[in-house]
């Protein structure tokens, strides 16, 4: 199946990322990484209307939401909490101050722990991390990635993207304890660069393909099932949204495009005939000190 996505936002974002559906408040969240902003909006009939903008004063690699509505934001090197009362607090440092990397894509596991990866901002290779914040502090699942990107949980498995080699990794992941098994190769994407990712209710993976202007639905072993074309070359991330989780929301970017087209950098939506898995809420019980 090949589906064409529809531009859904009036606004254009330099590096749109991390779309998240918050069902309690019926809102969509997303980030503009290089602008250092988090956005909230309403989804109606395939269109997204931005309603609130949070300026974070640092890059924003990812955003997630708690059941109470607080946001956890992956800043340049630290995790930041934005309270519903307007408060702002640094929760934990993930990256050392002397490392030229920034936090990138992240997500919440089934028990409410926040995971986030990193990417290099210099010529280092193969030393990027996938980190997790829980009640014991920050720990590291991976320390040898090239460019840590999308995350998805299906049942008792965690999938994570390493963009540069086109690798989709998988490991056993206990949703209650957070215990993990050995990392192993699920499959590779050889045409384009896999970026953000989410899972549907059938256990398949929807992966944004940076450089190819599309989202690809693949089985857990990599077989291509469906393609959603955006026409925006730098398609960056994806989530299922709406009351029935049946609308695919896609972020895109104008970054590194010498002459962006009018729809580059917009949010897109598509109906793809399947439903997504509910996004887990971040739990403040997974803070070392609260």
């Amino acid at each position: 199946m090949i589906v064409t996505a529809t531009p859904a936002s009036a606004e254009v974002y330099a590096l749109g990322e991390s779309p998240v559906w918050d069902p309690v408040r019926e809102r969509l969240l997303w980030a503009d990484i290089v602008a250092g902003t988090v956005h909230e909006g309403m989804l109606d009939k395939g269109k997204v209307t931005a309603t609130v903008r949070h300026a974070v004063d640092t890059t924003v690699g990812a955003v997630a939401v708690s059941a109470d509505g607080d946001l956890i934001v992956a800043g340049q090197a630290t995790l930041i909490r934005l309270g519903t009362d307007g408060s702002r607090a640094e929760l934990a440092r993930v990256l050392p101050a002397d490392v030229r990397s920034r936090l990138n894509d992240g997500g919440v596991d089934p028990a409410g722990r926040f995971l986030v990866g990193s990417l290099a901002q210099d010529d280092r290779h193969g030393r990027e991390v996938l980190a997790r914040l829980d009640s014991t502090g920050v720990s590291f699942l991976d320390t040898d990635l090239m460019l840590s990107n999308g995350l998805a949980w299906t049942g008792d498995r965690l999938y994570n993207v390493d963009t540069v080699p086109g690798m989709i990794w998988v490991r056993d992941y206990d949703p209650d304890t957070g215990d993990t098994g050995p990392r192993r190769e699920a499959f590779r994407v050889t045409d384009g660069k896999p970026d953000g990712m989410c899972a549907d209710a059938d256990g398949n993976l929807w992966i944004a393909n940076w450089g190819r202007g599309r989202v690809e639905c693949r089985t857990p072993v990599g077989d291509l099932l469906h393609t959603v074309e955006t026409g925006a070359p730098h398609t960056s991330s994806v989530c299922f949204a709406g009351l029935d989780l049946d609308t695919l929301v896609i972020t895109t970017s104008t970054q590194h495009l010498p002459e962006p087209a009018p729809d580059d950098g917009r949010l897109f939506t598509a109906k793809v005939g399947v439903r997504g898995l509910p996004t887990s809420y971040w739990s403040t019980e997974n803070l070392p000190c609260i």
Side-chain angles (χ1 to χ4, degrees):
M1 176 180 71
I2 300 177
V3 175
T4 300
T6 302
S9 67
E11 297 82 4
V12 169
Y13 303 97
L15 184 47
E17 260 284 6
S18 189
V20 177
W21 176 248
D22 177 5
V24 168
R25 283 151 286 272
E26 297 183 16
R27 63 177 173 172
L28 184 73
L29 302 164
W30 66 97
D32 186 337
I33 293 180
V34 296
T37 52
V38 174
H39 300 265
E40 302 178 18
M42 308 303 293
L43 176 64
D44 182 36
K45 298 178 181 178
K47 296 297 183 181
V48 177
T49 302
T51 57
V52 178
R53 176 181 177 274
H54 305 274
V56 184
D57 301 325
T58 177
T59 57
V60 177
V63 60
V65 60
S66 74
D68 293 332
D70 288 354
L71 304 182
I72 182 170
V73 174
Q76 173 84 22
T78 64
L79 300 180
I80 303 163
R81 181 178 184 172
L82 303 182
T84 57
D85 59 357
S87 61
R88 182 174 305 195
E90 182 176 308
L91 300 177
R93 172 169 286 276
V94 179
L95 302 177
D98 60 349
V99 171
R100 291 204 62 207
S101 294
R102 69 162 174 82
L103 296 179
N104 196 40
D105 210 345
V108 179
D109 79 3
R113 308 173 190 89
F114 187 70
L115 279 71
V116 65
S118 69
L119 64 82
Q121 295 186 298
D122 56 18
D123 58 0
R124 292 174 301 112
H125 298 289
R127 287 183 279 172
E128 300 311 308
V129 304
L130 176 60
R132 181 171 66 190
L133 176 68
D134 61 22
S135 60
T136 66
V138 174
S139 58
F140 296 92
L141 277 66
D142 294 322
T143 58
D144 61 349
L145 301 173
M146 297 283 285
L147 195 168
S148 183
N149 230 313
L151 304 170
W153 285 263
T154 63
D156 59 357
R157 291 183 175 181
L158 164 63
Y159 295 86
N160 67 290
V161 173
D162 192 354
T163 294
V164 174
M167 181 71 75
I168 313 299
W169 294 108
V170 63
R171 73 192 81 200
D172 294 335
Y173 194 100
D174 187 304
D176 295 320
T177 67
D179 291 341
T180 64
R183 186 182 74 182
R184 57 194 185 275
E185 178 179 339
F187 58 90
R188 289 177 184 259
V189 174
T190 58
D191 181 17
K193 297 178 181 179
D195 200 321
M197 175 173 63
C198 68
D200 65 27
D202 295 326
N204 296 313
L205 303 172
W206 294 77
I207 305 169
N209 191 314
W210 180 279
R212 294 294 181 265
R214 62 181 183 246
V215 175
E216 299 172 348
C217 175
R218 293 181 178 270
T219 69
V221 295
D223 296 330
L224 181 63
L225 299 178
H226 312 297
T227 301
V228 181
E229 301 286 350
T230 66
H234 291 171
T235 298
S236 54
S237 195
V238 61
C239 78
F240 283 94
L243 296 180
D244 296 322
L245 293 177
D246 62 351
T247 299
L248 199 67
V249 175
I250 306 162
T251 55
T252 68
S253 170
T254 61
Q255 193 176 43
H256 306 313
L257 293 174
E259 296 183 7
D263 289 334
D264 293 338
R266 298 188 194 276
L267 274 63
F268 288 73
T269 59
K271 294 286 189 178
V272 293
V274 299
R275 294 183 178 184
L277 292 172
T279 301
S280 299
Y281 280 120
W282 169 57
S283 173
T284 55
E285 294 179 359
N286 289 299
L287 290 176
C289 299
I290 188 169

